[in-house]
Amino acid sequence: MSELSITTTQNVNINFQAASVGDRIVAQLLDLLVKAAYVIVVYFIFFYLIGLNEYLDGADNWSVMAVVMLFGLPVIFYSLVQESLMEGQTFGKKIMKIKVIKLDGYQAGFGDYLMRWLFRLIEISIGSGIIGLIAISLSSKNQRLGDMAAGTAVISLKNNININHTILQEIDADYVPTYPLVIKLSDNDARIIKETFESALKAKDFKLIYKLRQKIESVTGIKSQSDSDSEFMKTVLKDYNYYTRNMQ
């Protein structure tokens, strides 16, 4: 797998492993199995048990097309809906431990997933995925055309980008968290916070640390008057480590 370096809006470099072509193909095949299972179940229930085909035999072409489109919508919008609801993953991607992210390190949004889905119609539907495969193979960031248009990439969540290995502060077994609201942060948020905090601390840029604290408080709703800015940052990262570790 090739390494993918992402520069965040805070000019922090984060290194990921780009998802391999093999992982992406297997994820696509797993998603295809889910779609096939859906089609089989729908056919069995509505056409075999209920006998909808008898109604369609006497219906006009527009009615037949409407019914087919209605049952086909979950298949057509499968990747768009799942990536939007599962933060860049489908069932296949989740099993293969790969995920769609923005090239700035933040979580991709609906517009990004929509752009990827629209290009999928060209890359996957036409030529059985050959266009997408060629684009990924030629791209230095393993991007297909949809990724290039949306400014996204697919990364591997295996091994060295595990959240517990890359983001968080070490904590003792008896550690007691202070700020439960840190769970409002995403993995990418915590990664960016850690990298920015460490860079600012090294440069003794305490003004940046203060601004970072303000941003965290505004996003999460955390309110604390007692900790210094640096101690606050360390506590937030330790608490995030605690809660994400215990949710796995």
Side-chain angles (χ1 to χ4, degrees):
M1 290 184 291
S2 61
E3 188 173 273
L4 178 63
S5 180
I6 290 177
T7 302
T8 71
T9 53
Q10 290 87 1
N11 294 319
V12 176
N13 291 323
I14 306 173
N15 294 321
F16 297 96
Q17 290 294 330
S20 67
V21 176
D23 282 348
R24 295 180 70 162
I25 290 176
V26 173
Q28 182 73 18
L29 291 175
L30 291 172
D31 287 331
L32 186 60
L33 287 177
V34 174
K35 295 176 186 178
Y38 163 79
V39 172
I40 292 172
V41 170
V42 166
Y43 180 83
F44 178 77
I45 294 176
F46 290 94
F47 291 86
Y48 183 77
L49 294 181
I50 299 179
L52 184 60
N53 55 311
E54 295 180 2
Y55 163 76
L56 294 179
D57 286 341
D60 59 84
N61 291 336
W62 287 107
S63 298
V64 173
M65 289 179 61
V67 171
V68 172
M69 284 296 297
L70 178 63
F71 287 120
L73 287 178
V75 174
I76 297 172
F77 294 102
Y78 174 90
S79 62
L80 175 60
V81 172
Q82 288 208 358
E83 287 180 354
S84 299
L85 296 179
M86 298 171 63
E87 297 185 342
Q89 292 183 300
T90 60
F91 286 125
K93 287 185 175 70
K94 194 171 187 66
I95 292 173
M96 295 307 298
K97 296 183 179 180
I98 61 178
K99 180 179 181 177
V100 178
I101 65 168
K102 289 285 289 181
L103 289 178
D104 59 9
Y106 282 102
Q107 179 67 51
F110 178 78
D112 305 310
Y113 301 132
L114 177 61
M115 182 66 70
R116 298 181 80 254
W117 176 80
L118 290 173
F119 273 83
R120 180 185 296 274
L121 300 179
I122 300 173
E123 298 175 274
I124 305 300
S125 301
I126 300 176
S128 301
I130 298 299
I131 295 177
L133 183 60
I134 292 175
I136 293 172
S137 300
L138 296 179
S139 170
S140 60
K141 297 179 180 179
N142 286 18
Q143 295 172 289
R144 61 180 180 83
L145 297 180
D147 288 316
M148 297 175 191
T152 59
V154 181
I155 63 168
S156 173
L157 300 177
K158 302 172 185 176
N159 301 324
N160 60 329
I161 64 164
N162 185 296
I163 186 77
N164 291 322
H165 295 161
T166 59
I167 296 178
L168 310 161
Q169 301 286 327
E170 293 293 332
I171 60 174
D172 298 326
D174 58 350
Y175 178 78
V176 178
T178 305
Y179 306 121
L181 289 176
V182 295
I183 60 175
K184 290 186 177 182
L185 299 171
S186 68
D187 290 355
N188 283 328
D189 292 335
R191 182 176 292 109
I192 291 171
I193 289 169
K194 178 178 184 292
E195 296 289 347
T196 305
F197 171 60
E198 290 181 346
S199 297
L201 198 60
K202 185 176 180 180
K204 296 184 179 181
D205 189 347
F206 300 110
K207 185 176 181 180
L208 177 58
I209 295 175
Y210 172 70
K211 290 182 177 180
L212 186 59
R213 173 177 181 163
Q214 286 186 313
K215 182 65 175 179
I216 294 172
E217 289 178 338
S218 67
V219 170
T220 62
I222 294 173
K223 298 297 180 183
S224 173
Q225 302 298 328
S226 59
D227 294 328
S228 69
D229 295 334
S230 294
E231 288 302 315
F232 173 80
M233 300 302 305
K234 293 176 182 178
T235 302
V236 165
L237 292 171
K238 286 181 179 180
D239 286 359
Y240 191 85
N241 188 11
Y242 174 86
Y243 285 113
T244 55
R245 182 189 65 181
N246 285 277
M247 288 191 295
Q248 291 177 353

